[in-house]
Amino acid sequence: MAVLPIRITGDPVLHERAQEVEEIDEGLAALVHDMEDTMSTAPGVGLAAPQVGIPLRLFVYNWRDEDGALHRGTAINPQLLISPPPVGVPDPDDDSEGCLSIPGERFPLLRSHTALLRAVDLDGEPYEVLATGWLARIFQHEFDHLDGVLYADRLVDPHARAAQRAIRRNKWGLPGKSWLPGRDHLED
């Protein structure tokens, strides 16, 4: 399999709604395997197809919780139902989130604590996952990518301003910027 370049904020594919997957075939399976390799090399806990330049409603996730349970899968044409998000100020430690398309940056963002993911897997089988905590956050983050929304778009001040400064400082926000996990070094 291959590690794919990850698009950086500003690339149009990241800011538009992705298209439904019409067919699960060998080409889609190869894309999923490449996305898994890319996510692992980055490293990340989730990766949406638009992040690698493919405008399809598809994401992969791979995260081990604090109890050691592995949560791993492929979500094709997902639907996501979420509980109402909490009201208040995000905690800089507990609510800090990052994104491979805004590499090396982290900002706090309140997310819903519970999410129900309905999707189809790579075998074409429908499934549901009721997620809480960090897994619910992962699902919301990746699902947002499929609608052309990056987590920085959801930030409130002062974090929204800080994210915009980081994007300008790194000369992102323009089409055609990407980085290659395993080859390009990014500061944390």
Side-chain angles (χ1 to χ4, degrees):
M1 296 301 131
V3 173
L4 304 171
I6 296 176
R7 305 292 175 97
I8 294 176
T9 185
D11 196 293
V13 73
L14 293 173
H15 304 284
E16 298 170 354
R17 187 180 193 284
Q19 304 163 3
E20 298 287 324
V21 172
E22 297 291 331
E23 185 177 359
I24 299 173
D25 57 14
E26 291 177 10
L28 190 72
L31 171 62
V32 166
H33 294 301
D34 289 349
M35 288 174 60
E36 289 170 337
D37 287 349
T38 303
M39 176 180 56
S40 176
T41 303
V45 294
L47 185 67
Q51 291 181 273
V52 294
I54 308 297
L56 291 176
R57 296 189 74 74
L58 157 72
F59 68 81
V60 296
Y61 59 94
N62 188 341
W63 174 70
R64 190 171 298 278
D65 68 24
E66 57 278 350
D67 296 328
L70 181 62
H71 305 274
R72 181 176 185 209
T74 300
I76 299 170
N77 296 333
Q79 297 175 329
L80 193 67
L81 305 170
I82 59 173
S83 63
V87 176
V89 177
D91 182 276
D93 295 320
D94 293 337
D95 297 318
S96 184
E97 192 168 318
C99 179
L100 297 175
S101 291
I102 307 174
E105 303 293 334
R106 295 188 69 80
F107 298 98
L109 174 63
L110 287 177
R111 293 272 194 185
S112 298
H113 293 293
T114 306
L116 176 64
L117 174 68
R118 292 181 177 148
V120 174
D121 67 18
L122 202 48
D123 293 323
E125 296 296 321
Y127 70 93
E128 287 186 358
V129 176
L130 179 60
T132 59
W134 198 257
L135 186 59
R137 178 179 294 272
I138 292 168
F139 289 166
Q140 290 169 77
H141 181 107
E142 300 310 325
F143 188 83
D144 273 354
H145 276 298
L146 305 183
D147 286 337
V149 177
L150 275 66
Y151 90 109
D153 299 330
R154 295 194 179 277
L155 296 173
V156 296
D157 284 333
H159 308 295
R161 284 192 311 254
Q164 288 306 311
R165 281 193 302 273
I167 289 167
R168 282 193 304 274
R169 180 180 65 245
N170 287 293
K171 297 182 174 83
W172 298 334
L174 304 169
K177 305 259 182 182
S178 66
W179 67 282
L180 187 62
R183 185 178 304 169
D184 296 335
H185 177 71
L186 296 168
E187 298 296 322
D188 289 332

